[in-house]
Amino acid sequence: MPVQHVLVCQEHRIPLPEGVTVVGRAIGCGIRFNTATVSRQHLILTVRGDRLTAESLSTTTGTLINGRRMSEPAELRHGDRISVGPHLLVIDVVEGAVAGRLAARRATSSPDADDYDEDTIAGEPAEVLSLDELADQLPPTKAIRTHTCPSCRARVAFTEAVCRSCGHAWGATDPSAITGRITMRHIVNDVRQATEPAAAVPVIYASDEMTIDVTVSEMDQDGLFVPTELLDPVGTTCELTVLPDGHPAVTFHGQVRRVRASADTHGPAGLFIHFTEVSEDAGLWLVRRLRQLDR
């Protein structure tokens, strides 16, 4: 009888694929959170046939299973509750025809689905990865190495919170700060981050000329508005990496359709982006987001 492990997080049900899923703040994590008390690579969930195991990577805030702090890898069962920072994840094990449909749906969207062979994988021990091996599994398209300083336009390492050329400091809710190294200041500021509008989402805008990280609150089915004083000309093509809470990063491709050169009564300076290419995952996330905002 087929088995599908589903992770229940807030209002989302996330079927876990065969193999490794990383939970954390890093851009390439399969399930990620914009919370300072969640480590960049916080937790590994590994599915092998009908077994699901967890290993905590967090050396700061740690991980709780059913209220107890994890000290070694553990096998998870239906109803187990995992605490990752302030976020609660519940394991739901689905059996029978529903699990078969979930597996078939996953197979149509996963390039590795054909590698799964229940007869040979079931019963094997869960794979334990080193941090170097884990880093190798993160999607290379999410490797954003630099961002552009909005004050002096210098290219700065994405993990740097302060521009060495002019001293500009990125805000605590910008993507580079959210996905960067945890400090006690970030953890204290996490209380303030929780008060950000529900409609706001961190976004990394990348064109051939610059990469900037911003918080976006204006988005619809056709595109979004990037608030920035660094402006690309109309017609510029770009990639937008959106970092939703409790969801993998999603990528949209777009084009600058209009520019607001300076702040006015309508809002701040920035770029109006029209979506030109939307992946299936990004489209499904966008539909869910717009429905939630309409409630």
Side-chain angles (χ1 to χ4, degrees), residues 87-108:
H87 305 283
L88 178 64
L89 313 175
V90 180
I91 302 301
D92 184 16
V93 179
V94 181
E95 298 182 353
V98 173
R101 288 196 297 271
L102 286 171
R105 183 187 307 168
R106 190 182 70 231
T108 62

Side-chain angles (χ1 to χ4, degrees), residues 22 58 93 112:
V22 182
S58 175
V93 179
D112 298 324

Side-chain angles (χ1 to χ4, degrees), residues 19-22 28 41 44 46 48 55 57 126-140:
V20 172
T21 297
V22 182
Q41 284 90 33
I44 295 177
T46 304
R48 287 289 180 262
E55 179 183 2
L57 300 178
E127 180 181 10
V128 178
L129 300 177
S130 69
L131 288 179
D132 289 340
E133 290 170 327
L134 179 62
D136 289 340
Q137 291 203 7
L138 297 181

